Amino acid sequence: MVRRRLRRAGKWTAWMVVVLVVLPVTLAATALRAGYAGAAAPDATTRGRDAIWLGHAWVDGRKDDSDVAALRRRVEGTGIRDLYVHAGPLEHDGTLPPARKAYPRARWLIAAVRRELPSVRVHAWLGDRLVYEAGKRGGLRLSDAAARRAIVGSARQVLAAGFAGVHLDLEPLHSGNADYLRLLDRLGPAVHDRGAILSVAVHQIDPLPGLHTVTGTLTGHPKWISQRFFGQVARRVDQIALMSYDTALPVESLYGGYVAQQTRLALEATDGRTDLLMGLPFFHTDDVGHHASAETVRAAVRGIRLGLTREDPGRQRFGMALYVDFAATEEDWSAYGSGWGRRDRS
């Protein structure tokens, strides 16, 4: 009798695992694979609004004129219009060191790009690691009004050095963070007063409604933000870049289908007044969150084009953002150029 009950309990447990774990995962994988199928519209190609993140070496003295010439050869003829050049990080109080310490070669770079690539704009990429939990130390706290004011001051500082815009990357950004929206409400006018551009990098959108709440409850670190919050951020900036990498997905077809879904969700949430940029993984780290063999530029480009085709093929304020220059390979550049990024592509 006891053995029979144990066998019965084991069968029920197995069925519960199938129903609660295996079946949802299988359905999700099937949906992502289906999302990667089909063909993108022939005109789902660059709108000339793409961007690339560049490392700190471009403003600290490690680069010279030959590097700018090589950059020109690399991006000339592609859709790249904006360079997000790392000029931070911000201090945990929101300030930046003086220009001579933080980005001593910024004016040289801006002048060199203006000479070699006159249609390309150079933005100051600023960021920090945020800490939200009460009682913790060591991070930037957006709930501190003084820190928000300091970030606005840092934006004015980099714009005074000649940058065409401010690109803000604050992580982790939790969904619904009202202090972040307050910061953007102050930062936007300060940047626009200088005739400059405000752009931000943000997390991925909930692939299922409310998923950020579930992961936040279980892990304390919600990976996603809500589609509504994404839209609230997008309405406050000139450009919004969705970091569509570090997904932990194991194969290209799943990753490509996921990126197609993220593209659709982001297009739904972003109106035609804001440039929407979808991130490409120009890096090859292998860890729990990123499998380089799955998160390829080829899969991302195809997924983005499929998402654009299905949701809003006529959207002009749309592009791709390449992360990051110092980790990119020839294969990455080729996949971007052949799949999306040539202005002269028929």
Side-chain angles (χ1 to χ4, degrees), residues 303-323:
I304 292 167
R305 293 185 68 219
L306 286 168
L308 177 64
T309 297
R310 291 164 184 160
E311 181 60 32
D312 191 355
R315 182 76 66 96
Q316 290 303 304
R317 300 196 68 165
F318 183 86
M320 298 187 186
L322 291 47
Y323 181 85

Side-chain angles (χ1 to χ4, degrees), residues 14-31:
W15 274 110
M16 290 297 289
V17 169
V18 169
V19 171
L20 297 178
V21 179
V22 177
L23 184 58
V25 169
T26 301
L27 291 174
T30 301

Side-chain angles (χ1 to χ4, degrees), residues 74-94:
R74 178 66 78 184
V75 306
E76 198 169 42
T78 72
I80 293 175
R81 180 181 64 169
D82 295 305
L83 310 178
Y84 300 146
V85 184
H86 190 266
L90 295 166
E91 301 291 346
H92 292 326
D93 62 359

Side-chain angles (χ1 to χ4, degrees), residues 45 50-51 58 83 94 99 114 118 124 138 145 163 165 186 193 210 233 256 263 265 279 284 303 335 344:
T45 56
D50 303 332
W58 289 93
L83 310 178
R114 187 175 294 128
F163 286 100
R186 291 179 61 94
D193 283 349
V233 174
T263 302
L265 293 171
H284 302 272
D344 55 357

